[in-house]
Coordinates of all heavy atoms in Angstrom, one line a residue:
G61 N 75.7 -74.6 -157.5 CA 74.8 -74.7 -156.3 C 75.5 -75.5 -155.2 O 76.5 -76.2 -155.4
W62 N 75.0 -75.4 -153.9 CA 75.5 -76.0 -152.8 C 74.7 -77.3 -152.6 O 73.7 -77.4 -151.9 CB 75.3 -75.2 -151.6 CG 76.2 -74.0 -151.6 CD1 76.2 -72.9 -152.5 CD2 77.4 -73.8 -150.7 NE1 77.2 -72.0 -152.3 CE2 77.9 -72.4 -151.2 CE3 77.9 -74.4 -149.8 CZ2 79.1 -71.9 -150.6 CZ3 79.1 -73.9 -149.1 CH2 79.6 -72.7 -149.5
A63 N 75.1 -78.4 -153.4 CA 74.3 -79.6 -153.5 C 74.4 -80.5 -152.3 O 75.5 -80.7 -151.7 CB 74.9 -80.4 -154.6
L64 N 73.2 -80.9 -151.8 CA 73.1 -81.7 -150.6 C 72.3 -83.0 -151.0 O 72.4 -84.1 -150.2 CB 72.3 -81.0 -149.5 CG 73.2 -80.1 -148.6 CD1 72.3 -79.3 -147.6 CD2 74.3 -80.8 -147.9
A65 N 71.6 -83.1 -152.1 CA 70.8 -84.3 -152.4 C 70.7 -84.3 -154.0 O 70.7 -83.2 -154.6 CB 69.4 -84.2 -151.8
A66 N 70.5 -85.6 -154.4 CA 70.4 -85.7 -155.8 C 69.5 -87.0 -156.1 O 69.8 -88.0 -155.4 CB 71.7 -85.8 -156.6
G67 N 68.6 -86.9 -157.0 CA 67.8 -88.2 -157.3 C 67.6 -88.2 -158.9 O 67.3 -87.2 -159.5
A68 N 67.8 -89.5 -159.3 CA 67.7 -89.7 -160.8 C 66.6 -90.7 -161.0 O 66.3 -91.7 -160.2 CB 68.9 -90.4 -161.3
N69 N 65.7 -90.4 -162.0 CA 64.5 -91.2 -162.3 C 64.0 -90.7 -163.7 O 64.0 -89.6 -164.0 CB 63.5 -91.1 -161.3 CG 62.3 -92.1 -161.4 OD1 62.5 -93.2 -162.1 ND2 61.1 -91.8 -161.0
D70 N 63.6 -91.8 -164.4 CA 62.9 -91.4 -165.7 C 61.5 -91.1 -165.4 O 60.7 -92.0 -165.1 CB 63.0 -92.7 -166.7 CG 62.2 -92.5 -167.9 OD1 61.9 -91.3 -168.3 OD2 61.8 -93.5 -168.4
V71 N 61.1 -89.8 -165.7 CA 59.7 -89.5 -165.4 C 58.8 -89.4 -166.5 O 57.7 -89.2 -166.3 CB 59.7 -88.1 -164.6 CG1 60.5 -88.2 -163.3 CG2 60.2 -86.9 -165.5
D72 N 59.4 -89.4 -167.8 CA 58.6 -89.2 -169.0 C 58.6 -90.4 -169.8 O 58.0 -90.4 -170.9 CB 59.0 -88.0 -169.7 CG 60.4 -88.2 -170.5 OD1 61.1 -89.1 -170.1 OD2 60.7 -87.4 -171.4
G73 N 59.2 -91.5 -169.5 CA 58.9 -92.8 -170.2 C 59.9 -93.1 -171.3 O 59.7 -94.1 -172.1
D74 N 60.9 -92.3 -171.5 CA 62.0 -92.6 -172.6 C 63.1 -93.4 -172.1 O 64.1 -93.6 -172.8 CB 62.4 -91.3 -173.3 CG 63.1 -90.3 -172.3 OD1 63.3 -90.7 -171.1 OD2 63.5 -89.3 -172.8
L75 N 63.2 -93.8 -170.9 CA 64.3 -94.5 -170.2 C 65.6 -93.7 -170.2 O 66.7 -94.4 -170.2 CB 64.5 -95.8 -170.9 CG 63.4 -96.9 -170.5 CD1 63.6 -98.2 -171.2 CD2 63.1 -97.1 -169.1
L76 N 65.5 -92.4 -170.3 CA 66.6 -91.6 -170.1 C 66.3 -90.8 -168.6 O 65.3 -90.1 -168.6 CB 66.8 -90.5 -171.1 CG 67.4 -91.1 -172.4 CD1 67.4 -89.9 -173.4 CD2 68.8 -91.5 -172.2
P77 N 67.0 -91.1 -167.6 CA 66.7 -90.5 -166.3 C 66.9 -89.0 -166.2 O 67.9 -88.5 -166.6 CB 67.7 -91.3 -165.4 CG 68.9 -91.6 -166.2 CD 68.3 -91.9 -167.6
E78 N 65.8 -88.4 -165.7 CA 65.9 -87.0 -165.3 C 66.7 -86.9 -164.0 O 67.0 -87.9 -163.3 CB 64.6 -86.3 -165.1 CG 64.0 -85.9 -166.4 CD 63.7 -87.0 -167.5 OE1 63.0 -88.0 -167.0 OE2 64.2 -87.0 -168.5
L79 N 67.2 -85.8 -163.6 CA 68.0 -85.5 -162.5 C 67.4 -84.3 -161.6 O 67.3 -83.2 -162.2 CB 69.4 -85.4 -162.8 CG 70.5 -85.1 -161.7 CD1 70.6 -86.4 -160.7 CD2 71.8 -84.7 -162.1
Y80 N 67.2 -84.6 -160.4 CA 66.8 -83.5 -159.4 C 67.9 -83.2 -158.5 O 68.4 -84.2 -157.9 CB 65.4 -83.9 -158.7 CG 64.9 -82.7 -158.0 CD1 63.8 -82.1 -158.3 CD2 65.5 -82.3 -156.7 CE1 63.2 -81.0 -157.6 CE2 64.9 -81.2 -156.0 CZ 63.8 -80.6 -156.5 OH 63.3 -79.5 -155.8
V81 N 68.4 -82.0 -158.4 CA 69.5 -81.7 -157.5 C 68.9 -80.7 -156.4 O 68.4 -79.7 -156.8 CB 70.6 -81.0 -158.3 CG1 71.8 -80.7 -157.3 CG2 71.1 -81.9 -159.4
G82 N 69.0 -81.2 -155.2 CA 68.5 -80.4 -154.1 C 69.8 -79.5 -153.6 O 70.8 -80.1 -153.2
N83 N 69.6 -78.2 -153.7 CA 70.6 -77.3 -153.2 C 70.4 -76.6 -152.0 O 69.2 -76.1 -151.8 CB 70.9 -76.3 -154.4 CG 71.6 -76.9 -155.6 OD1 72.6 -77.6 -155.5 ND2 71.1 -76.5 -156.9
D84 N 71.3 -76.4 -151.1 CA 71.2 -75.6 -150.0 C 71.4 -74.1 -150.5 O 72.0 -73.8 -151.5 CB 72.3 -75.9 -149.1 CG 72.0 -75.5 -147.6 OD1 71.0 -74.8 -147.3 OD2 72.9 -75.8 -146.7
F85 N 70.8 -73.1 -149.9 CA 71.0 -71.7 -150.0 C 70.6 -71.2 -151.5 O 71.1 -70.2 -151.9 CB 72.4 -71.4 -149.8 CG 73.0 -71.8 -148.5 CD1 74.1 -72.6 -148.4 CD2 72.4 -71.4 -147.3 CE1 74.6 -73.0 -147.2 CE2 72.9 -71.9 -146.1 CZ 74.0 -72.7 -146.0
G86 N 69.7 -71.9 -152.1 CA 69.4 -71.4 -153.4 C 68.5 -72.5 -154.2 O 68.1 -73.5 -153.5
P87 N 68.1 -72.2 -155.4 CA 67.1 -73.0 -156.1 C 67.6 -74.4 -156.3 O 68.7 -74.6 -156.7 CB 66.8 -72.2 -157.4 CG 68.1 -71.4 -157.6 CD 68.6 -71.0 -156.3
D88 N 66.7 -75.4 -156.2 CA 66.9 -76.7 -156.6 C 66.8 -76.7 -158.1 O 66.3 -75.7 -158.6 CB 65.9 -77.7 -156.0 CG 65.9 -77.8 -154.5 OD1 66.9 -77.4 -154.0 OD2 65.0 -78.3 -153.9
R89 N 67.3 -77.8 -158.7 CA 67.2 -77.8 -160.2 C 66.7 -79.2 -160.6 O 67.2 -80.3 -160.1 CB 68.8 -77.8 -160.8 CG 69.4 -76.5 -160.4 CD 68.8 -75.2 -161.0 NE 69.6 -74.0 -160.7 CZ 69.3 -72.9 -161.2 NH1 68.3 -72.6 -161.9 NH2 70.1 -71.8 -160.9
L90 N 65.8 -79.1 -161.5 CA 65.2 -80.3 -162.2 C 65.8 -80.3 -163.6 O 65.5 -79.4 -164.4 CB 63.7 -80.3 -162.2 CG 63.0 -81.5 -163.0 CD1 63.6 -82.9 -162.3 CD2 61.5 -81.5 -163.0
L91 N 66.5 -81.3 -164.0 CA 67.2 -81.4 -165.3 C 66.6 -82.4 -166.1 O 66.5 -83.6 -165.8 CB 68.7 -81.7 -165.1 CG 69.3 -80.7 -164.0 CD1 70.9 -81.2 -163.9 CD2 69.5 -79.3 -164.6
Y92 N 66.1 -82.0 -167.2 CA 65.5 -82.8 -168.2 C 66.5 -83.5 -169.2 O 67.4 -82.8 -169.7 CB 64.4 -82.0 -169.0 CG 63.7 -82.8 -170.1 CD1 63.1 -84.0 -169.7 CD2 63.6 -82.5 -171.4 CE1 62.3 -84.8 -170.7 CE2 63.0 -83.3 -172.4 CZ 62.3 -84.4 -172.0 OH 61.7 -85.2 -172.9
N93 N 66.5 -84.7 -169.3 CA 67.5 -85.4 -170.0 C 67.3 -85.5 -171.5 O 66.3 -85.9 -172.1 CB 67.5 -86.9 -169.5 CG 68.9 -87.6 -169.8 OD1 69.5 -87.4 -170.8 ND2 69.2 -88.6 -169.0

């Protein structure tokens, strides 16, 4: 994808950070760790 932004944070409490990638021209991606 055409990545312009990325954010890492543990959203489910296991202290493994998930990753959200903001893409231009297409779907963003939320990646479960």
